[in-house]
Amino acid sequence: MVVGATGGSRLAEHAVYPGTFDPITPGHIDIIERARHLFARVTVLVAINAEKHPASAPSERGTRLRRELPANWDNVSVTTWAGLTVAFCRDHGANVIIRGVRNRSDFRHESQLAAMNEVIGITTLLLPARPWMAAVSSTVLRGLDTRAVRE
């Protein structure tokens, strides 16, 4: 689903896929893989968001994410950012934010953010999770890792 679509054979030149990626899930990799075919450049933005209480530092998450991506994905870069995603987009010439949605709750939340971003002039592309990946979230995986450490 596209919220505020742009025209042309590609949706835009440069898109940003933000997230905490703590940990990285197969769903994250799938969204990146799909986005890299839609845009000339995709920047995966590892967010610095203390409210989410990430288990590792942004630089560690960025390094892990880079290792997960195939070397031949040369139109995909990974960087960290502490500010608003729209500020990164403005500073780096990106005009689309990519967000993955797994369910209705994600859709409602992301649609509200997309509407605000559109007012600022940044389009949001909502990519639905593939059905077999929709139940997996970073929060669930963190919970599994914590239980495994206790046992």
Side-chain angles (χ1 to χ4, degrees), residues 71-89:
N72 66 339
W73 289 10
D74 55 1
N75 67 329
V76 177
S77 62
V78 178
T79 192
T80 59
W81 182 258
L84 295 173
T85 301
V86 292
F88 180 91
C89 290

PDB file of all heavy atoms in Angstrom, residues 71-89:
ATOM      1  N   ALA A  71      26.202  -9.086   0.126  1.00  0.00           N
ATOM      2  CA  ALA A  71      27.200  -8.132  -0.381  1.00  0.00           C
ATOM      3  C   ALA A  71      26.771  -7.508  -1.712  1.00  0.00           C
ATOM      4  O   ALA A  71      27.145  -6.373  -2.000  1.00  0.00           O
ATOM      5  CB  ALA A  71      28.551  -8.817  -0.518  1.00  0.00           C
ATOM      6  N   ASN A  72      25.997  -8.239  -2.506  1.00  0.00           N
ATOM      7  CA  ASN A  72      25.611  -7.700  -3.823  1.00  0.00           C
ATOM      8  C   ASN A  72      24.431  -6.731  -3.766  1.00  0.00           C
ATOM      9  O   ASN A  72      24.000  -6.231  -4.789  1.00  0.00           O
ATOM     10  CB  ASN A  72      25.325  -8.843  -4.804  1.00  0.00           C
ATOM     11  CG  ASN A  72      24.106  -9.652  -4.420  1.00  0.00           C
ATOM     12  OD1 ASN A  72      23.668  -9.652  -3.278  1.00  0.00           O
ATOM     13  ND2 ASN A  72      23.572 -10.381  -5.382  1.00  0.00           N
ATOM     14  N   TRP A  73      23.936  -6.407  -2.586  1.00  0.00           N
ATOM     15  CA  TRP A  73      22.882  -5.403  -2.449  1.00  0.00           C
ATOM     16  C   TRP A  73      23.555  -4.029  -2.390  1.00  0.00           C
ATOM     17  O   TRP A  73      23.516  -3.336  -1.385  1.00  0.00           O
ATOM     18  CB  TRP A  73      22.043  -5.652  -1.204  1.00  0.00           C
ATOM     19  CG  TRP A  73      21.142  -6.853  -1.288  1.00  0.00           C
ATOM     20  CD1 TRP A  73      21.134  -7.819  -2.245  1.00  0.00           C
ATOM     21  CD2 TRP A  73      20.137  -7.206  -0.351  1.00  0.00           C
ATOM     22  NE1 TRP A  73      20.176  -8.758  -1.961  1.00  0.00           N
ATOM     23  CE2 TRP A  73      19.553  -8.410  -0.797  1.00  0.00           C
ATOM     24  CE3 TRP A  73      19.680  -6.643   0.826  1.00  0.00           C
ATOM     25  CZ2 TRP A  73      18.523  -9.041  -0.120  1.00  0.00           C
ATOM     26  CZ3 TRP A  73      18.660  -7.274   1.511  1.00  0.00           C
ATOM     27  CH2 TRP A  73      18.079  -8.452   1.041  1.00  0.00           C
ATOM     28  N   ASP A  74      24.148  -3.633  -3.488  1.00  0.00           N
ATOM     29  CA  ASP A  74      24.970  -2.428  -3.507  1.00  0.00           C
ATOM     30  C   ASP A  74      24.176  -1.127  -3.473  1.00  0.00           C
ATOM     31  O   ASP A  74      24.750  -0.060  -3.295  1.00  0.00           O
ATOM     32  CB  ASP A  74      25.938  -2.449  -4.688  1.00  0.00           C
ATOM     33  CG  ASP A  74      25.240  -2.654  -6.024  1.00  0.00           C
ATOM     34  OD1 ASP A  74      24.008  -2.770  -6.060  1.00  0.00           O
ATOM     35  OD2 ASP A  74      25.953  -2.700  -7.035  1.00  0.00           O
ATOM     36  N   ASN A  75      22.863  -1.184  -3.597  1.00  0.00           N
ATOM     37  CA  ASN A  75      22.067   0.048  -3.490  1.00  0.00           C
ATOM     38  C   ASN A  75      21.474   0.219  -2.084  1.00  0.00           C
ATOM     39  O   ASN A  75      20.645   1.082  -1.858  1.00  0.00           O
ATOM     40  CB  ASN A  75      20.958   0.088  -4.547  1.00  0.00           C
ATOM     41  CG  ASN A  75      19.891  -0.970  -4.341  1.00  0.00           C
ATOM     42  OD1 ASN A  75      20.152  -2.056  -3.837  1.00  0.00           O
ATOM     43  ND2 ASN A  75      18.671  -0.652  -4.754  1.00  0.00           N
ATOM     44  N   VAL A  76      21.949  -0.602  -1.139  1.00  0.00           N
ATOM     45  CA  VAL A  76      21.470  -0.529   0.242  1.00  0.00           C
ATOM     46  C   VAL A  76      22.629  -0.117   1.146  1.00  0.00           C
ATOM     47  O   VAL A  76      23.707  -0.718   1.088  1.00  0.00           O
ATOM     48  CB  VAL A  76      20.896  -1.883   0.718  1.00  0.00           C
ATOM     49  CG1 VAL A  76      20.463  -1.807   2.182  1.00  0.00           C
ATOM     50  CG2 VAL A  76      19.738  -2.322  -0.170  1.00  0.00           C
ATOM     51  N   SER A  77      22.396   0.914   1.964  1.00  0.00           N
ATOM     52  CA  SER A  77      23.392   1.321   2.953  1.00  0.00           C
ATOM     53  C   SER A  77      22.750   1.290   4.336  1.00  0.00           C
ATOM     54  O   SER A  77      21.517   1.325   4.466  1.00  0.00           O
ATOM     55  CB  SER A  77      23.938   2.713   2.645  1.00  0.00           C
ATOM     56  OG  SER A  77      22.904   3.663   2.698  1.00  0.00           O
ATOM     57  N   VAL A  78      23.577   1.223   5.364  1.00  0.00           N
ATOM     58  CA  VAL A  78      23.104   1.184   6.749  1.00  0.00           C
ATOM     59  C   VAL A  78      23.801   2.306   7.510  1.00  0.00           C
ATOM     60  O   VAL A  78      25.020   2.466   7.401  1.00  0.00           O
ATOM     61  CB  VAL A  78      23.427  -0.176   7.410  1.00  0.00           C
ATOM     62  CG1 VAL A  78      22.983  -0.190   8.868  1.00  0.00           C
ATOM     63  CG2 VAL A  78      22.787  -1.327   6.640  1.00  0.00           C
ATOM     64  N   THR A  79      23.023   3.067   8.274  1.00  0.00           N
ATOM     65  CA  THR A  79      23.595   4.132   9.095  1.00  0.00           C
ATOM     66  C   THR A  79      22.758   4.294  10.357  1.00  0.00           C
ATOM     67  O   THR A  79      21.636   3.803  10.432  1.00  0.00           O
ATOM     68  CB  THR A  79      23.687   5.462   8.308  1.00  0.00           C
ATOM     69  OG1 THR A  79      24.489   6.377   9.032  1.00  0.00           O
ATOM     70  CG2 THR A  79      22.315   6.054   8.057  1.00  0.00           C
ATOM     71  N   THR A  80      23.328   4.954  11.364  1.00  0.00           N
ATOM     72  CA  THR A  80      22.582   5.235  12.595  1.00  0.00           C
ATOM     73  C   THR A  80      22.167   6.700  12.606  1.00  0.00           C
ATOM     74  O   THR A  80      22.785   7.537  11.958  1.00  0.00           O
ATOM     75  CB  THR A  80      23.430   4.926  13.848  1.00  0.00           C
ATOM     76  OG1 THR A  80      24.618   5.709  13.815  1.00  0.00           O
ATOM     77  CG2 THR A  80      23.791   3.445  13.915  1.00  0.00           C
ATOM     78  N   TRP A  81      21.096   6.992  13.384  1.00  0.00           N
ATOM     79  CA  TRP A  81      20.573   8.360  13.428  1.00  0.00           C
ATOM     80  C   TRP A  81      19.846   8.573  14.740  1.00  0.00           C
ATOM     81  O   TRP A  81      19.043   7.742  15.157  1.00  0.00           O
ATOM     82  CB  TRP A  81      19.627   8.571  12.257  1.00  0.00           C
ATOM     83  CG  TRP A  81      19.055   9.937  12.131  1.00  0.00           C
ATOM     84  CD1 TRP A  81      17.780  10.332  12.493  1.00  0.00           C
ATOM     85  CD2 TRP A  81      19.686  11.112  11.624  1.00  0.00           C
ATOM     86  NE1 TRP A  81      17.601  11.656  12.214  1.00  0.00           N
ATOM     87  CE2 TRP A  81      18.759  12.173  11.676  1.00  0.00           C
ATOM     88  CE3 TRP A  81      20.951  11.372  11.111  1.00  0.00           C
ATOM     89  CZ2 TRP A  81      19.053  13.452  11.253  1.00  0.00           C
ATOM     90  CZ3 TRP A  81      21.258  12.645  10.680  1.00  0.00           C
ATOM     91  CH2 TRP A  81      20.317  13.674  10.750  1.00  0.00           C
ATOM     92  N   ALA A  82      20.106   9.698  15.376  1.00  0.00           N
ATOM     93  CA  ALA A  82      19.491   9.993  16.667  1.00  0.00           C
ATOM     94  C   ALA A  82      18.291  10.928  16.561  1.00  0.00           C
ATOM     95  O   ALA A  82      17.540  11.073  17.511  1.00  0.00           O
ATOM     96  CB  ALA A  82      20.525  10.600  17.613  1.00  0.00           C
ATOM     97  N   GLY A  83      18.094  11.564  15.424  1.00  0.00           N
ATOM     98  CA  GLY A  83      17.014  12.538  15.291  1.00  0.00           C
ATOM     99  C   GLY A  83      15.760  11.952  14.671  1.00  0.00           C
ATOM    100  O   GLY A  83      15.598  10.735  14.565  1.00  0.00           O
ATOM    101  N   LEU A  84      14.884  12.851  14.245  1.00  0.00           N
ATOM    102  CA  LEU A  84      13.660  12.440  13.565  1.00  0.00           C
ATOM    103  C   LEU A  84      13.984  11.893  12.178  1.00  0.00           C
ATOM    104  O   LEU A  84      14.866  12.420  11.489  1.00  0.00           O
ATOM    105  CB  LEU A  84      12.702  13.627  13.419  1.00  0.00           C
ATOM    106  CG  LEU A  84      12.137  14.210  14.713  1.00  0.00           C
ATOM    107  CD1 LEU A  84      11.344  15.483  14.405  1.00  0.00           C
ATOM    108  CD2 LEU A  84      11.260  13.187  15.416  1.00  0.00           C
ATOM    109  N   THR A  85      13.266  10.882  11.769  1.00  0.00           N
ATOM    110  CA  THR A  85      13.484  10.290  10.448  1.00  0.00           C
ATOM    111  C   THR A  85      13.266  11.316   9.341  1.00  0.00           C
ATOM    112  O   THR A  85      14.026  11.360   8.372  1.00  0.00           O
ATOM    113  CB  THR A  85      12.558   9.074  10.248  1.00  0.00           C
ATOM    114  OG1 THR A  85      12.844   8.121  11.282  1.00  0.00           O
ATOM    115  CG2 THR A  85      12.761   8.433   8.903  1.00  0.00           C
ATOM    116  N   VAL A  86      12.251  12.170   9.481  1.00  0.00           N
ATOM    117  CA  VAL A  86      11.999  13.174   8.442  1.00  0.00           C
ATOM    118  C   VAL A  86      13.166  14.151   8.328  1.00  0.00           C
ATOM    119  O   VAL A  86      13.471  14.632   7.231  1.00  0.00           O
ATOM    120  CB  VAL A  86      10.662  13.923   8.636  1.00  0.00           C
ATOM    121  CG1 VAL A  86       9.484  12.991   8.423  1.00  0.00           C
ATOM    122  CG2 VAL A  86      10.580  14.602   9.978  1.00  0.00           C
ATOM    123  N   ALA A  87      13.839  14.438   9.424  1.00  0.00           N
ATOM    124  CA  ALA A  87      15.017  15.313   9.377  1.00  0.00           C
ATOM    125  C   ALA A  87      16.144  14.635   8.605  1.00  0.00           C
ATOM    126  O   ALA A  87      16.822  15.271   7.788  1.00  0.00           O
ATOM    127  CB  ALA A  87      15.478  15.671  10.788  1.00  0.00           C
ATOM    128  N   PHE A  88      16.331  13.339   8.831  1.00  0.00           N
ATOM    129  CA  PHE A  88      17.331  12.594   8.062  1.00  0.00           C
ATOM    130  C   PHE A  88      16.976  12.653   6.575  1.00  0.00           C
ATOM    131  O   PHE A  88      17.846  12.891   5.735  1.00  0.00           O
ATOM    132  CB  PHE A  88      17.422  11.133   8.523  1.00  0.00           C
ATOM    133  CG  PHE A  88      18.434  10.340   7.751  1.00  0.00           C
ATOM    134  CD1 PHE A  88      19.741  10.249   8.200  1.00  0.00           C
ATOM    135  CD2 PHE A  88      18.095   9.708   6.561  1.00  0.00           C
ATOM    136  CE1 PHE A  88      20.691   9.539   7.476  1.00  0.00           C
ATOM    137  CE2 PHE A  88      19.038   8.995   5.833  1.00  0.00           C
ATOM    138  CZ  PHE A  88      20.344   8.910   6.295  1.00  0.00           C
ATOM    139  N   CYS A  89      15.715  12.429   6.262  1.00  0.00           N
ATOM    140  CA  CYS A  89      15.271  12.452   4.863  1.00  0.00           C
ATOM    141  C   CYS A  89      15.587  13.791   4.211  1.00  0.00           C
ATOM    142  O   CYS A  89      16.134  13.835   3.104  1.00  0.00           O
ATOM    143  CB  CYS A  89      13.774  12.153   4.771  1.00  0.00           C
ATOM    144  SG  CYS A  89      13.351  10.447   5.161  1.00  0.00           S
TER     145      CYS A  89
END
